[in-house]
Every structure is written in structure tokens, then in C-alpha cells.
Amino acid sequence: MGNTKKFTAVVVGIGLVTLSACGSSDSGDTGDSKTVTLVSHDSWAVSKNVLKDFEKKSGYTVRVLKDGDAGQAVNKAILTKDNPQGDVFFGVDNTLLSRALDNGLFQSYEAKGADRVVPEYLADPDKHRVTPVDTGDICVNYDKAYFSEHGLTPPESLDDLVRPEYKNLLVTENASTSSPGLGFLLGTVARYGEDGWEGYWEKLQDNGVKVVDGWEQAYNEEFSGSAGGREAGGDRPLVVSYASSPPAEVVFADPKPKTAPTGVADGTCFRQVEYAGLLSNARNAEGGKALIDFLLTQEFQEDMPLNMFVHPVREDAQLPEEFVKYGPQAEDPQTMDPAEIAAGRDQWVKSWTSLVLK
Amino acid sequence: MDLARTEVAPGKRPNRGGAARLGFIALPVAFFGLFFAYPVAAIVARGLKADGDWRFGRIVEVAAQSDIRHVLWFTTWQAVASTALTLLVALPGAYVFARFDFPGRQLLRAVVTVPFVLPTVVVGSAFLALVGRGGLLDELWGVRLDTTVWAILLAHVFFNYAVVVRTVGGLWAQLDPRQEEAARVLGASRWAAWRTVTLPALGPAVAAAALMVFLFTFTSFGVVQILGGPTFSTLEVEIYRQTSEIFDLPTAAVLTMIQFGAVGAILAVHAWTVRRRETALRLVDASGTARRPRGAGQWALLAGVLGCVAVLILLPLAVLVQRSLDAPDFGYYRALTREDGGTFLVPPIHAIGNSLTYAVAATAIAVLIGGLAAAALTRRDAGRFVRGFDALLMLPLGVSAVTVGFGFLIALDEPPLDLRSSWILVPLAQALVGVPFVVRTMLPVLRAVDARLREAAAVLGASPWRAWREVDLPMVRRALLVAAGFAFAVSLGEFGATVFIARPDSPTLPVAVARLLGRPGELNYGQAMALSTILMLVCAVALLVLERLRTDRTGEF
């Protein structure tokens, strides 16, 4: 019986401890004003010394919560905006900006250094609810080796992609679940207009475009030009990715090649701008403001390209050599006003889904 | 389900019993109200309410969309096909495990159960390694099944094989073979004897198993997401996409309600078949019914079933292990301890500790809540209300984990219940799926305790607490351990809800696997395989221990 008693005591004990734990809010939120929390997506990255430097200068400790991919992170932030998980959110881009603003995710704060930002990247100029931090171009990448082996010229524009010589070569992402996929769709809408984009996609489909769920799958499995894709036996020499993907292929290669194995089709690009903002119900608003200022400092802006493979928004930020060489920004990318995206996005994605996926 | 015992005639019970039952049921009701009904209602309301007004018109609007109808259609037919295929493959298995005695039977019975408690992400990755690009089939014959419906159906068979083997086989092992023999002596052919004697006895168990498989495949998430590509979508996957990616909360809310209705209907039918199963059958001790196979036919059957198990269950698991060992010197395992992976704030190996801690807490909660609920449900003469509660306890198995996860985020965020950033949130969500297993394991055993023993103890002056401790507990202790083990295993594997609420700095094993799979690069993939293998081994060990503890083999799980 002794054993039984002990057993009972253990079971009941565990139960009570657990239940009492439910009652007390054992909160991991550090309410103290010396910690500032940044909520972002999985791609957030910064050099350790740069962050340390900020912590030392400002006196704040930075806690980072990486929360899924960009779209998910934005949605989760909106759902929890009354009682946010952090003070600053970084990583909403122009394709989703209206969703964040309409839902009241951010409060006004004009960052120090905003005057050095390339003016066309500034959004919400009256209320300053968001601060642009970086830009990136979503472009079709090509596998140089494939095209030279087959004696083919790589495509240069969206128009080229529907030509018969590029049949069955392109892989892209699901526009409803992937941000490069959405960017590419918006690029085609911007280029061919409300009346023409569906016709263009029909032609793309006739020309054998393949759609996969996410960027990882498209770039690292299907695309023949990436290090991962070569290993996985990818057989599509054209992929929707970023203008910064070629420098990434160089930086992460060992040994480093003399020239990037992939190139960018310049006339296929859509420009993305990523913003940060002070969350509406931030506990540590002061710390949050300091953190946003930090994101616009020259130090952070110049550290960013090789960490997140994006371009700085400050006019005076110097680009690393690999970027100048292999990842120039597109000359004349497609763009679209966030308000226009807001008005059309859901309907375009819906039509695209039934046109291309069903 | 307490088939082997004699029915206890419901005698007159003192009122005190009713009060005690109310006491028992109060905690589970509060638990489910607070941590299930309230969060789910909150997220659904968020979707259907705009500017303070309910928009029920949305339900009709959404249901009328052709792509939503397409999802509904696919959800239903793949569930029907998966269930049929699972029955086809697993019923011979149920027979073999029930009636044949062969070396390694117990071990194999535990091994075929491993997939059932594995998280769907791991199942998905195992099948991807088998039928995906560069997978075994691709290397051997150039066959790729990912993004086809075949991969989904096969994975569902892999996943649910044990449900049929355990539910049907458990009963089959206890059917008296002499009944069938008697029919044959009286001149019936082998087939006629089986059809008229065994089949009717098994019918309700087969129906119950089929319904459980239907429920699990109807609400399939991870398998469809990983293997289906962008074109296949079940209701559950669509709820996830609408909530998490497209952010169309109204549509997600409507879909949640549709799924809720469907699952409610499935559970109602299930409850009915379970009750039918409780009708009197002549049962014998399972240990006496199995014998060595005799004759070429039986050996062929055994060989066929073992072959099926090898190809459908052992092979995917083996491919997982092999992939995890692809790097020299256990490179993928060693990489798990490194901090510079970038995917996490901590080395992935920490996920093991997190998972175990969460699972222990979740098990404690599930055993406490499920045990109390089972105790309240024990009485045969329990009223309609209590019986309804029985079915309600199963609902978390069929309601979108995504809905629960998001519900937690928006409903449990205010004092005194601001649990959102508390570690206890994860075990609470996991306990929700553990409780049904605890109830289903405990209920038959509790019902089998002779109430007269308790009454005798009371007459002799024991307090109800003491009567419980001295009479019930010694009898149910083993069942309690089995229940705890199962709750532990499903908590370890829970993915859907955890992925939404696990803090980035303390991922669980399944969450870590999913994140690693979502990152590019050989090393991340290898680490995902290594973590999956570790998780698989932990589950297998837990199940082997359970096999040793288990006495009553008629339970469903």
C-alpha cells in the first residue's frame, strides 16, 4: 500500500502544481524598461557585434522573436496587437503593408535618419507609422550554365518568358502562400494591367510554368542553378527569386567562384520594400523608438546586405563589393503603390489561384 | 468495452454519489470550457463579427464558392479512399496479430503503433524521403509520388494502420474461436462460418475503427501540407492557409464551423457504434486464442502481412534513419548541438529537453482531467448529459489545431489568464489531445470495477476518498500508467497547435523538425532527419513499455 500512496501523492501533486501554474501568469514578458523586444520573421539576421554595439550605446537589451515566414509573422502580429508580443515589428513589405496599417498594428513615430532615406521608399508620409528599412527586387533568375550549354540567350523580360524557346523552364511560387510568388504576380499585374494579366498567365501556363508552394522548394530543389538545386537534381533553369540571389551564391560558395553561376533577368523585376514599425500597444515604447532609429543607422544599413541579402534604403549606405558586382538593383523594376496593392491584392490572388492552381 | 466482465446491475445509489460525480465533472468541464471552447469561440467570433455585428450571411457566401466546394469534395473523398485503403491493408494485419503466435509479435505490435504517435511532419518527411525527389523510389526506378494523391493515401495508411490493428485486433483476440468451430461442425463452410459468426461480432469494432481513421484523415494537416503541394488541400489545411497566410478570418471561421459540424457528426456515429460494441459477446482471455499458423494458406497470410508491414511501415521509418546517418561520423547528429545554425536561438538539441518537459506537464494535466472525466462517466446509468460529455471530450481530436492555437493567442491574453507568453500554454494545448486517449483507456477499466466492492467499503465505514484509494486505485493503476504513456506519446508528437504557441526560443521536437525542413540546405535537412529519428526512438520506447504494462487489450488505442 505504501507504493500506492506514494503514487497517488505524486499524481495529485503534479496535478496541483500544474494547475497552480495555470493560475499565476508565469510571464516570460520582461516588462522592465531595459529590454526591448523585436518581433520579426525567420529571415531576420544581424551581425553580433553590430547588435552588441547598439546595446552598449543605448543601454537596452534586445530580445528577438522570429515568428515564421513574413506573411505569418504579420498576421500573428495583427491578431495579437491588443497585447503584442514585442515592441517593434520588422518585416512587413509593401505587398502586405495595407493589411498592417488598416488593422492598426503600428503607432506613429518618425525615425531619426528618415531624412536620409531615398524618398520614393517612404510610405505613410503623414502619420509615419512605418519606417522603410530595406528593399529587394523579386526577379526571374537564370542558370548561366544551362543557357550557355544549350546555346540559348537567357530571357530578359516578362514578354520573353512566354516565348516557345523557354517552354517548361520556369518555376515560380504559390502567390497565395509565398511572398516572392505574390511579388511576381503583382509584377505581372503592374506590367499588363487589370485586363491583361490573366491572359499573360494563361500564356505562361501554356508555356509550362511550374508552381510550387514556397521559395525554398522552388529555389533549392527545382532550380538547376542554385547550389541546393544542383544537389537535388533540379531541372528548371529559370526561377522566381531575388536580385540578390546571385551574390548569395557567391558568398556562400566554397571555394568562391570568379563569377556568379546565376544571373537576373532584368526586365522581370518587382520591387519590394520592407518596413519596421512601433507596435501600437508596445510596453517599452521608448526602447522601441531607439530600436527603430538603430535600424536606420548607417552601421546597421551597411551590415544588412550580407546578412539578409537586401539593399539598404539610406542613400549614403555603402554596398559590399559582392553586391556591386553580382547583385545590382534592377534598372526599371515594376512597382505598385501600396494603396493600389491593398485594393486589388485579394481579388488578384483569388483569380490567380483558380486560374493557375485549380 | 468492459466486455470481459459481467455487467454490474445499477443498484440504488446514495445521493452522495451524484454529488461526487458532479464534483468530478466540474474540473474537466471547466478545463474544456476555458482551454478549448472559449479560445475556439473567440477566434470564430473574430472572423464572423464585423463592427460588432454578426455576419452569418458569410457562411452561405463562403460555402457557395467553387474553390471551397472543391476543398470540401477533396477532403471527403480522400478520407473515404484513405479509410478504405487502410481497412484493406490493416484488417488482415488485425487478424494476424490477434490469432497468430509468432516470434517478435509484441515488438512488432509496438512498432506498427509508432507512426500513429509520430507527428505528421515526421510522417511527411519520412514519405518525402521515400517517394519524393531523390527519394528511394526515385533512385531505384525514377518514380516520384510527391504532389500526387497516392503519397497522401499511402501516408494515411502508414499513419492509421495501428488504429485498425488495435481496435479490431484487440477484440478479435478475445472472440472465442470455438463459436466459429461449432458452426463448422454444424456444416457451415469456412466462409459461411466466418460470415455468420465472426463478422457480426467484429462489425461494430470495424465500424468504430473505420470512423476513427475517417476522422483522422478528414482532418489531415501535416501530411497533406508536406506531400500535397499547392494543389491539394483538406479543410484543415485550408483553415490554416486562410488564417495564417491569406488572413481571411471570416472564411477560416466558416470552414472551422463546417469542420466542427462534420466532426460532430462523425463522433456521434462513433459513440453509437461504441455503445453497440458493448453488447454482450462471449469473450475469452486473449492469451489463449493465438496459435502458431498452420498450413500453407496461413503461412502465406502471415508472410503477406509481414511483407506489407515491412514495405509500408518499416521502410519509411528505415529511410528516415538512413537519411539521418548520411553524413560521415554522425555529422547530422553532432550538428544538432551547434548554435550557429541560424534557424533557432538555441542549438536544436535543446528541443529534446523542451519536448520532454512539455510532455511531462501535458501528461500530468491530461491524466488528471481525463481521469476525473472517466470517473464521472463510469456509471452505466449516467444520464444523457454525461454521455454527451463523453463525445464532447473527443472533439479536440477533430477540431483544427490551428484554430485552437490562434484561439489561445487571442483569448488567453488578459489577466488573470494571460498565459500567452507562459510556458504552460504548450502543455495545455497538448493535454487537449491527450485527454481523449486517457478517457478511452480508463473508462473500460473503471467501469469494470465492481461497484459492490466500493459499497462494501462504505458500509464498513470507509470515507469515499479512502474507498477510492483502497478499492479503485489498485485496480486502475496499471490502466492509469498506460493512459499516461499514451498521453505522453501524443503530447510529444502534437504539432498543429504547438507550432503556433511554442516560443521561438523553446521549440519542441516536431516544431524544430518542421523549421529545419523549411530551411534550405543539406545540413538542415539532415538535422531534421536526425531529430525525427530521435523522436521516433523516444516514442518507440514509450510504446514498448506500454505493451508490457497493458493487460486489457480491448481498448481502442
Side-chain angles (χ1 to χ4, degrees), chain B residues 185-324:
Chain B
V185 168
L186 293 172
S189 69
R190 184 183 284 264
W191 161 243
W194 187 80
R195 191 170 50 92
T196 52
V197 177
T198 307
L199 189 62
L202 284 181
V206 174
L211 280 163
M212 280 329 276
V213 175
F214 187 82
L215 176 71
F216 291 136
T217 52
F218 189 81
T219 57
S220 185
F221 176 63
V223 164
V224 176
Q225 249 227 330
I226 292 177
L227 293 175
T231 40
F232 293 115
S233 183
T234 54
L235 264 180
E236 181 101 3
V237 172
E238 198 59 27
I239 292 171
Y240 166 79
R241 286 187 183 156
Q242 296 288 346
T243 313
S244 166
E245 286 164 350
I246 303 171
F247 206 61
D248 185 346
L249 293 184
T251 301
V254 173
L255 294 180
T256 302
M257 286 169 68
I258 293 174
Q259 179 157 325
F260 203 79
V263 166
I266 297 169
L267 287 177
V269 179
H270 181 258
W272 179 67
T273 58
V274 167
R275 224 165 297 154
R276 268 180 60 207
R277 210 147 55 102
E278 289 172 11
T279 51
L281 281 173
R282 206 171 137 210
L283 296 176
V284 294
D285 184 9
S287 59
T289 59
R291 52 185 167 69
R292 307 274 300 172
R294 271 179 303 205
Q298 294 197 347
W299 279 109
L301 180 62
L302 177 61
V305 165
L306 293 183
C308 255
V309 167
V311 171
L312 265 169
I313 294 176
L314 300 184
L315 189 62
L317 296 178
V319 169
L320 205 66
V321 176
Q322 182 254 323
R323 287 272 166 125
S324 77

Side-chain angles (χ1 to χ4, degrees), chain A residues 5 12 19 25-26 43-44 61 65 73 77 95 99 127 129 142 157 161 165 169 201 243 250 258 263 307 321 335 341:
Chain A
K5 261 184 202 157
V12 171
L19 280 179
S25 90
D26 165 36
S43 315
W44 160 263
T61 309
L65 291 184
T95 64
R99 185 183 287 170
K127 296 189 190 152
R129 286 170 296 181
Y142 58 85
S157 64
L161 293 176
E165 61 258 44
L169 300 190
W201 273 93
V250 176
K258 283 214 169 63
N307 276 300
E321 184 196 354
T335 52
I341 297 175

Side-chain angles (χ1 to χ4, degrees), chain A residues 14 26 72 75-76 83 220, chain B residues 240 244 364 413 420 423 520:
Chain A
I14 292 174
D26 165 36
Q72 270 176 34
N75 296 342
K76 216 158 136 180
N83 184 2
N220 285 314
Chain B
Y240 166 79
S244 166
D413 70 333
R420 220 188 38 202
W423 68 275

